[in-house]
Amino acid sequence: MAPPGLIHSSLGHSETGESPQRVGSGDTMSGEETASPSAIQISRIMRPDDANIAGNVHGGTILKMIEEAGAIISTRHCNSQKGETCVAALARVERTDFLSPMCIGEVAHVSAEITYTSKHSVEVQVTVMSENILTGARRVTNKAALWYVPLSLKNVDKVLEVPPLVYTRKEQEEEGRKRYEAQKLERMETKWKNGDIMQPSINPDRQTKEPYTVSYSQSTLIHLVGPSDCTLHGFVHGGVTMKLMDEVAGIVAARHCKTNIVTASVDAINFHDKIRKGCVITISGRMTFTSNKSMEIEVLVDADPVALHSQERYRAASAFVTYVSLSKEGKTLPVPQLLVETEEEKKRFEEGKGRYLQMKAKRQAQIDAVPQK
């Protein structure tokens, strides 16, 4: 049974009373024009089983809700014109920042809007807002951008064309094209690194290992993909994969700090291949970089189609997740510095440092761009 909540479809009015925008129109066989929704909102109350050990809503739960909203709106849009029916599959999640923690008992409002379409992909911008239903106070907790591709239901290996989006301003299309080209380039760079294998720790006894090393906190979760993890078509929901990745990264961060931890941001998650029902997936996480107040964990997802002897194990997804350490009072704590031992670990540390400094400079530029009052 689905959790309690409301899906505000494009056929009615949104929660704010505004009419949804009409986009992506095309000609039907009868010559009439059809339209797909440009925005939807999913809302549900956060329950105790959504909590992490710190008492806030689990970051993986929020990522799963973000993906569900994106999948609904992109699948609707891709089926808005006559042709082969399809399902929109998650290909990539851009960097997602956790701006504010969400509490149990609050209502999560997940708003999704299609902002760009290329020939074979859809960009969906998602904003998550929490509402205190006792006071009515609202605040933005997350923002994310997701990319989907339409897969034919007759042949899931066939990518279909996306109905074009109708833009209100020419600048919207140009800005979207720049984002599309940027993420395409980054995906290609990630694919070159897909041969990287995260070897399991030889000695599982952590008492014999030196704390704060990569091997000390490295963690692995093995999961058999069941029907509840999958869509009606037998493939794993992208949100399920993201939640498992966040769980493993959280274990790595907690082992390193030995404190409460919270997801601060998720760097781009790339989905390289579909995961089928019945696969055994291995989600591996290792520490790559630490600053004074944050730590970066690399997460790799490998799928083993055990029932298909003709197919070998393959890389299904990869990402970098950033965490911060928290005291019992919820205050940020200094992060113990990572002790790198091998040349590969030193290389990954420097690469992580580069990503950290790049994002730090980007945030500062955004602050400087805000006009001073």
Side-chain angles (χ1 to χ4, degrees):
M1 183 176 179
L6 295 174
I7 298 177
H8 300 278
S9 86
S10 64
L11 302 179
H13 293 286
S14 69
E15 192 175 64
T16 60
E18 298 174 349
S19 298
Q21 300 173 26
R22 297 169 63 83
V23 297
S25 60
D27 292 334
T28 64
M29 293 180 67
S30 63
E32 295 178 350
E33 189 176 66
T34 182
S36 67
S38 68
I40 64 167
Q41 185 179 81
I42 296 177
S43 302
R44 83 168 174 90
I45 194 166
M46 296 291 98
R47 303 166 302 194
D49 57 349
D50 294 315
N52 57 24
I53 57 175
N56 297 319
V57 175
H58 195 292
T61 298
I62 297 173
L63 289 171
K64 189 176 180 181
M65 292 181 66
I66 288 173
E67 196 279 329
E68 287 173 351
I72 291 170
I73 192 171
S74 53
T75 298
R76 280 180 176 173
H77 178 78
C78 292
N79 288 281
S80 62
Q81 294 184 357
K82 295 293 182 181
E84 284 189 58
T85 54
C86 63
V87 61
L90 183 62
R92 177 180 168 88
V93 181
E94 299 291 347
R95 179 183 172 91
T96 304
D97 288 309
F98 288 72
L99 307 174
S100 177
M102 190 177 295
C103 303
I104 302 304
E106 292 184 327
V107 174
H109 300 287
V110 185
S111 302
E113 180 180 9
I114 295 175
T115 49
Y116 179 75
T117 57
S118 68
K119 185 177 181 180
H120 295 293
S121 62
V122 180
E123 181 192 47
V124 180
Q125 299 277 355
V126 180
T127 300
V128 182
M129 184 171 289
S130 67
E131 177 192 4
N132 184 321
I133 55 178
L134 301 179
T135 65
R138 292 190 176 202
R139 67 185 185 283
V140 176
T141 61
N142 300 80
K143 288 188 175 182
L146 303 89
W147 292 88
Y148 290 83
V149 293
L151 304 180
S152 169
L153 292 184
K154 295 179 180 178
N155 177 10
V156 293
D157 293 320
K158 179 183 178 182
V159 179
L160 301 179
E161 291 191 13
V162 177
L165 188 68
V166 177
Y167 302 94
T168 57
R169 293 183 296 107
K170 184 65 177 177
E171 293 80 1
Q172 290 177 322
E173 184 175 9
E174 294 172 355
E175 291 165 0
R177 186 179 293 110
K178 290 179 182 178
R179 295 193 298 270
Y180 168 76
E181 294 296 339
Q183 66 85 27
K184 187 177 179 181
L185 180 61
E186 289 184 15
R187 277 183 60 81
M188 291 178 62
E189 292 176 350
T190 304
K191 282 186 177 181
W192 296 337
K193 300 177 182 179
N194 270 357
D196 191 13
I197 302 297
M198 197 178 300
Q199 298 293 344
S201 182
I202 298 175
N203 186 353
D205 185 3
R206 298 183 193 283
Q207 293 182 352
T208 64
K209 296 179 181 178
E210 186 176 358
Y212 311 131
T213 58
V214 174
S215 60
Y216 182 85
S217 59
Q218 181 175 316
S219 303
T220 300
L221 183 149
I222 299 175
H223 179 75
L224 174 64
V225 176
S228 62
D229 300 318
C230 298
T231 67
L232 295 175
H233 315 294
F235 295 96
V236 176
H237 283 286
V240 171
T241 306
M242 289 195 291
K243 186 172 183 181
L244 290 170
M245 295 172 79
D246 186 65
E247 287 179 359
V248 170
I251 293 171
V252 174
R255 280 177 167 166
H256 183 80
C257 292
K258 296 182 175 62
T259 63
N260 288 334
I261 47 87
V262 66
T263 312
S265 66
V266 179
D267 207 344
I269 304 177
N270 290 297
F271 292 83
H272 310 293
D273 207 340
K274 300 179 293 296
I275 303 173
R276 292 171 171 81
K277 180 174 64 179
C279 282
V280 173
I281 55 175
T282 302
I283 306 99
S284 305
R286 63 185 169 199
M287 190 79 63
T288 51
F289 170 75
T290 54
S291 67
N292 291 332
K293 292 186 178 181
S294 66
M295 51 199 138
E296 181 192 73
I297 295 102
E298 181 182 23
V299 185
L300 304 177
V301 181
D302 294 313
D304 186 4
V306 290
L308 300 175
H309 300 292
S310 59
Q311 187 173 356
E312 297 180 350
R313 179 178 170 132
Y314 60 91
R315 176 64 40 80
S318 59
F320 290 98
V321 187
T322 300
Y323 279 81
V324 294
S325 174
L326 296 178
S327 67
K328 293 180 180 179
E329 294 75 29
K331 304 288 186 180
T332 55
L333 295 173
V335 172
Q337 292 305 289
L338 181 65
L339 302 178
V340 291
E341 300 173 301
T342 68
E343 290 302 317
E344 278 298 314
E345 290 174 2
K346 292 176 183 177
K347 179 183 177 182
R348 288 195 294 267
F349 187 92
E350 290 302 316
E351 290 173 347
K353 184 178 180 180
R355 287 187 291 270
Y356 167 77
L357 293 175
Q358 184 179 26
M359 187 51 56
K360 189 176 180 180
K362 185 177 180 180
R363 283 198 298 265
Q364 186 60 49
Q366 291 173 342
I367 294 172
D368 295 341
V370 177
Q372 299 294 324
K373 294 182 179 180

